[in-house]
Amino acid sequence: MGSGILFSYPQLATLAGLQGVIVYAIASACPLLIFAALAPIIRRKCPEGFVLTEWTRQRYGIVTALYLGALTLLTLFLYMVAELSAIGQVIEALTGLDGLPVVIVECVVTTVYTSLGGFKISFITDNIQGAMICCLIIIATITIGAKTEIKPDLIADSGLLNASLVGWQLIYILPVAILTNDFFLANYWLRAFASKTDKDLWVGVSAAMIVILIVLTLVGCTGLIAVWSGAFSPDGDGSVAFFLLLEQLPNWVVGIVIVMSVCLSTAAFDSLQSAMVSSASNDIFRNRLNIWWIRGAVVLVIFPVVVLALKAPSILQIYLISDLLSAATIPVLMLGLSERFYWWRGFEVLVGGLGGILTVFIFGTIYYGDAQLGGELILLEQGLYTGDWGAFGAFVAAPVGGLLWGFGALAVRLLVQYTQAKLRGTRFDAFDHPTILRPEDSDALASTNEEVTTTKIPGKFF
């Protein structure tokens, strides 16, 4: 969790009320359990893997692995933009100063210590981040409770305790968006595969889920309190609700929030940097390129990240663009985890993922009656809170369209392969079941250094 949570969660609270806060917190925390459920399965299927793309390469072939690697890097890029944009806005909102110097210093500092310490240093900063979050929540909860005056008449007038259309829509949108997007975050997979045993993974993930659920609920509630105390006007920009609430608190509290926000942002940004280095090195270059060249490339990437961060209109919109990409790709990708879909190949994943995005455009064009608005729906330029069914339809069209395009691609592939078999006089073997020798226990794999012999299927694209 980075400083972006101080914008997106209070903003949603001012728009979707208590219902939105609860849904957003649950939808953000519970998807972490998917790593505890799937990491052992993937580790059994791909013992030498440490990120999702390693299994993808083994299961679907190099083309699909490069496709997923590119989407992973794009997701990390967008998250880096969101994080730097958030900390820049925090500094500007709380101090009135230009946030660019802080952004530059953060980039330099994280680049230096992640280059020297690698991913291990990221684990250390994660622990510091956890302590900082606990301190921030305790201090903010006590001071807001003691210093903020809630006006009862504003509670009734705000309507934030009532259910709303967008609140009901979020019950579907957010779980789909966040669950699928978590698959693209290599820093999550690196931590999941680093667990010694499956039991340790379940314990760690469960504890993290509970902490995150509590933290995000409390952060989201600051948006409600800002409205009910009169610090925020419902007609304003909800992303600054938390900071408007802080203006009513003593200066020392604001100072502590600034320091802790920078620490949160730094810890989140170094994880993204480390994940980008690992993903680029393993997924794209197969660890054949010197790691310092990769680190140098990531440093170059930070320059456009900073430029975009200064111009980013909405932290939440950046997250949603990434969510839509993942919602189109992950369902068709995960079919390959089931033995029943042994005939599912990389061609279907690639066509399905791209087709899901195309389906969003088609839906938007039909729904709005305008091709330009259909294109803007892919970028969710109107956000989630337009009062219509556009965003909801986009998150339905992406996964459903992806699956439909995937099965359409399957039909085309089978037809081509069947025709080729007939013309060549060979056997049609597209539905032949592969033989796999599975490791017996993923816990044993994680806790032993002995070499495991497996019979793997070469990943097939077509």
Side-chain angles (χ1 to χ4, degrees):
M1 292 183 293
S3 57
I5 65 174
L6 304 179
F7 289 89
S8 55
Y9 288 82
Q11 179 183 16
L12 188 140
T14 63
L15 296 165
L18 182 61
Q19 182 185 30
V21 171
I22 295 174
V23 172
Y24 203 177
I26 294 175
S28 298
C30 290
L32 292 178
L33 293 174
I34 199 68
F35 292 96
L38 293 185
I41 298 174
I42 296 176
R43 188 155 53 187
R44 283 192 289 268
K45 293 177 178 290
C46 184
E48 69 279 14
F50 58 93
V51 288
L52 182 64
T53 44
E54 195 66 32
W55 167 78
T56 302
R57 181 181 295 269
Q58 176 183 304
R59 176 63 178 81
Y60 294 113
I62 187 172
V63 175
T64 310
L66 290 174
Y67 167 68
L68 183 64
L71 290 181
T72 298
L73 292 175
L74 176 60
T75 299
L76 293 172
F77 179 86
L78 291 175
Y79 270 67
M80 290 170 75
V81 172
E83 191 54 50
L84 293 185
S85 177
I87 191 60
Q89 292 181 46
V90 167
I91 299 301
E92 292 176 1
L94 294 181
T95 67
L97 301 176
D98 186 6
L100 179 59
V102 174
V103 169
I104 293 175
V105 171
E106 178 176 319
C107 292
V108 172
V109 171
T110 55
T111 299
V112 170
Y113 73 70
T114 53
S115 297
L116 297 176
F119 200 78
K120 292 182 180 179
I121 198 71
S122 182
F123 285 125
I124 297 175
T125 59
D126 284 348
N127 294 328
I128 297 174
Q129 181 193 46
M132 287 290 185
I133 289 176
C134 291
C135 292
L136 176 62
I137 291 301
I138 292 173
I139 293 173
T141 301
I142 294 175
T143 53
I144 289 175
K147 299 293 184 179
T148 303
E149 180 182 353
I150 301 295
K151 301 176 181 178
D153 55 321
L154 292 180
I155 297 177
D157 294 341
S158 68
L160 295 179
L161 294 179
N162 302 327
S164 62
L165 174 61
V166 68
W168 291 115
Q169 290 176 344
L170 292 178
I171 293 177
Y172 167 80
I173 292 175
L174 292 178
V176 170
I178 296 174
L179 175 62
T180 56
N181 192 247
D182 282 352
F183 281 82
F184 281 163
L185 297 178
N187 46 325
Y188 283 2
W189 289 107
L190 288 167
R191 285 161 173 77
F193 287 125
S195 61
K196 291 183 178 181
T197 66
D198 294 347
K199 180 181 179 181
D200 291 341
L201 179 59
W202 273 105
V203 171
V205 168
S206 299
M209 181 198 71
I210 294 172
V211 172
I212 290 174
L213 179 62
I214 294 172
V215 169
L216 295 183
T217 301
L218 292 174
V219 172
C221 286
T222 60
L224 303 177
I225 297 174
V227 175
W228 296 340
S229 64
F232 172 77
S233 171
D235 298 330
D237 180 9
S239 64
V240 298
F242 175 78
F243 305 101
L244 293 176
L245 183 62
L246 285 182
E247 290 181 355
Q248 300 182 349
L249 303 181
N251 291 334
W252 65 269
V253 176
V254 176
I256 291 176
V257 171
I258 292 175
V259 173
M260 292 187 175
S261 296
V262 173
C263 292
L264 289 178
S265 180
T266 301
F269 194 72
D270 72 44
S271 295
L272 296 171
Q273 277 184 289
S274 298
M276 180 171 282
V277 170
S278 299
S279 296
S281 179
N282 182 74
D283 303 345
I284 306 300
F285 298 103
R286 302 300 295 157
N287 301 315
R288 295 172 182 170
L289 187 64
N290 187 290
I291 191 65
W292 287 103
W293 286 105
I294 304 295
R295 295 188 189 281
V298 172
V299 171
L300 295 178
V301 168
I302 291 178
F303 286 97
V305 167
V306 172
V307 172
L308 292 175
L310 297 176
K311 298 180 179 180
S314 170
I315 308 300
L316 194 57
Q317 183 185 351
I318 297 173
Y319 291 147
L320 291 174
I321 294 171
S322 176
D323 292 342
L324 200 58
L325 290 173
S326 61
T329 301
I330 293 303
V332 289
L333 179 74
M334 287 296 105
L335 286 180
L337 271 180
S338 172
E339 298 295 340
R340 297 181 179 181
F341 290 89
Y342 64 89
W343 34 261
W344 193 254
R345 295 186 181 172
F347 179 69
E348 288 88 86
V349 175
L350 182 60
V351 173
L354 297 177
I357 298 300
L358 179 60
T359 304
V360 173
F361 170 74
I362 295 173
F363 163 77
T365 301
I366 295 174
Y367 182 77
Y368 292 114
D370 188 320
Q372 181 178 348
L373 293 178
E376 291 177 356
L377 186 60
I378 297 176
L379 300 178
L380 290 165
E381 291 192 3
Q382 300 181 31
L384 291 176
Y385 321 109
T386 56
D388 60 18
W389 291 88
F392 181 88
F395 279 97
V396 173
V400 173
L403 290 170
L404 292 177
W405 279 92
F407 279 100
L410 171 65
V412 172
R413 176 175 64 82
L414 293 177
L415 179 61
V416 171
Q417 291 177 331
Y418 181 78
T419 303
Q420 288 177 338
K422 285 296 184 182
L423 293 175
R424 296 171 182 174
T426 58
R427 182 173 171 275
F428 177 64
D429 60 356
F431 286 109
D432 285 0
H433 202 296
T435 302
I436 309 176
L437 181 61
R438 303 182 188 85
E440 293 181 359
D441 181 38
S442 66
D443 283 351
L445 286 174
S447 60
T448 183
N449 293 324
E450 296 180 2
E451 184 177 354
V452 179
T453 303
T454 58
T455 303
K456 296 185 295 185
I457 317 168
K460 291 185 177 180
F461 178 74
F462 196 88

